């Protein structure tokens, strides 16, 4: 039986909040650990950061016996091949993705440019099922992010003629030193705006910014390997993925 895939994106117009990082971590966790077939569509030109990371990792693993062994072990344990990665411009994405749907992905994750003004981005956002917006407790980031999320909700998600139905915010890069009342104040503003806020809070962790780590230190962000289970739990990637699946009604 063919199942219509769910299309989502982690996106924000404000840079530095980890949209590409979360796209990779979620794709690898959902594909290699949970067992859902995931397709990642890298539309984030001109840097194509996820495509570039996959290329670096494939090149590295040719000469790195340690990570090559991890990859072999992962395949033997799970039977999961690498999640497919499509590199394309936003206007071309719908047609290119349609061509690959025969492979049967359950979840399609888009990595979009940092601005909705890029050609084809608004149309692509309107065609998604849900958008997840990382939010950082910084005044400038907050103002930009809330404006972005509110615009998506008002102009796209509340339009019955479009596919997009939900825009969710989630806290990220949380520093333990930050005061709880600060988040209470920000969340009061978010509630006043009527924007959905997820329960998962993502702490800041240096592994988010590292690809294949030195031997013995575990796997952080990788397109080839699942994030280490302890890291996925401690960094709340497991919780984020679980909450997203619940919101999307995917079992």
């Amino acid at each position: 039986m063919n199942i219509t895939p769910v299309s989502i994106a982690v996106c924000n117009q404000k840079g530095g909040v980890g949209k590409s990082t979360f796209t990779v971590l979620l794709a690898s966790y959902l594909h290699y650990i949970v067992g859902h077939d995931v397709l990642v569509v890298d539309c984030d030109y001109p840097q194509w950061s996820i495509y570039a990371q996959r290329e670096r990792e494939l090149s590295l693993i040719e000469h790195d016996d340690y990570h090559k062994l991890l990859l072999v072990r992962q395949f033997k344990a799970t039977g999961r091949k690498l999640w497919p990665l499509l590199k394309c411009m936003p206007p071309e994405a719908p047609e290119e993705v349609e061509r690959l749907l025969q492979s049967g992905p359950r979840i399609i994750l888009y990595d979009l440019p940092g601005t909705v003004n890029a050609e084809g981005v608004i149309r692509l956002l309107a065609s998604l099922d849900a958008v997840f917006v990382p939010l950082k407790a910084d005044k400038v980031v907050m103002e930009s992010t809330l404006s972005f999320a509110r615009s998506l909700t008002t102009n796209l998600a509340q339009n019955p003629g479009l596919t997009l139905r939900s825009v969710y915010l989630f806290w990220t890069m949380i520093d333990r030193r930050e005061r709880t009342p600060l988040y209470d104040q920000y969340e009061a503003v978010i509630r006043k705006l009527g924007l959905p806020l997820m329960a998962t809070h993502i702490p800041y962790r240096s592994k988010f910014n590292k690809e294949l780590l030195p031997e013995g230190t575990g796997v952080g962000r990788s397109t080839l390997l699942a994030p280490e289970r302890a890291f996925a739990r401690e960094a709340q990637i497991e919780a984020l993925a679980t909450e997203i699946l619940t919101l999307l009604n995917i079992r």
Side-chain angles (χ1 to χ4, degrees):
M1 179 177 67
N2 292 328
I3 298 176
T4 302
V6 173
S7 298
I8 64 175
V10 178
C11 69
N12 194 325
Q13 285 201 113
K14 194 66 179 175
V17 292
K19 67 181 184 64
S20 297
T21 293
F22 284 117
T23 300
V24 170
L25 285 166
L26 284 169
S28 293
Y29 184 84
L30 292 169
H31 186 83
Y32 301 128
I33 294 179
V34 181
H36 290 301
D37 291 330
V38 173
L39 166 65
V40 174
V41 186
D42 188 351
C43 297
D44 189 16
Y45 74 94
Q47 57 266 34
W48 315 108
S49 56
I50 296 179
Y51 181 84
Q53 180 180 344
R54 170 64 65 86
E55 292 294 296
R56 286 193 299 272
E57 290 186 317
L58 289 174
S59 178
L60 169 68
I61 217 159
E62 289 182 8
H63 312 288
D64 183 337
D65 290 339
Y66 172 71
H67 287 104
K68 188 181 295 181
L69 179 60
L70 290 183
L71 190 60
V72 170
R73 287 177 175 171
Q74 175 175 272
F75 178 74
K76 287 183 177 179
T78 66
R80 308 294 290 167
K81 297 180 180 179
L82 303 184
W83 42 259
L85 174 59
L86 175 64
K87 170 188 171 185
C88 62
M89 298 290 286
E92 302 164 0
E95 183 178 329
E96 291 295 318
V97 168
E98 186 67 29
R99 187 171 53 83
L100 293 177
L101 287 184
Q102 292 181 352
S103 61
R106 182 69 181 93
I107 300 170
I108 304 174
L109 266 164
Y110 289 83
D111 191 33
L112 303 176
T115 173
V116 294
N117 294 324
E119 183 184 359
V121 172
I122 291 293
R123 177 178 167 227
L124 199 48
L125 282 166
S127 72
L128 304 180
D129 294 289
V131 172
F132 298 89
V133 184
L135 179 67
K136 180 183 176 184
D138 172 275
K139 187 174 185 298
V140 175
V141 175
M142 280 286 297
E143 290 178 352
S144 173
T145 301
L146 293 181
S147 175
F148 173 66
R150 195 176 185 186
S151 177
L152 287 185
T153 300
T154 303
N155 298 317
L156 300 182
Q158 294 179 352
N159 186 331
L162 301 177
T163 304
L164 183 64
R165 285 290 170 267
S166 304
V167 178
Y168 300 99
L169 296 164
F170 67 93
W171 288 115
T172 184
M173 299 178 72
I174 293 178
D175 190 324
R176 290 192 183 99
R177 296 169 295 181
E178 290 175 326
R179 296 175 292 110
T180 300
L182 177 67
Y183 285 93
D184 291 339
Q185 293 168 15
Y186 282 143
E187 289 186 9
V189 174
I190 293 169
R191 286 194 297 272
K192 189 174 181 180
L193 293 173
L195 297 171
L197 181 64
M198 296 173 66
T200 303
H201 290 196
I202 308 292
Y204 171 77
R205 292 295 180 266
S206 61
K207 279 188 180 181
F208 286 146
N209 301 318
K210 297 176 181 177
E211 295 180 14
L212 290 182
L213 300 171
E215 184 173 331
T217 56
V219 177
R221 186 187 76 204
S222 173
T223 71
L224 308 183
L225 297 163
E228 188 181 42
R229 287 295 187 99
F231 166 64
R233 285 192 296 270
E234 190 266 342
Q236 297 297 300
I237 298 304
E238 180 179 298
L240 180 64
T242 300
E243 187 172 4
I244 287 174
L245 291 176
T246 300
L247 291 170
L248 297 175
N249 198 28
I250 297 176
R251 297 182 179 180

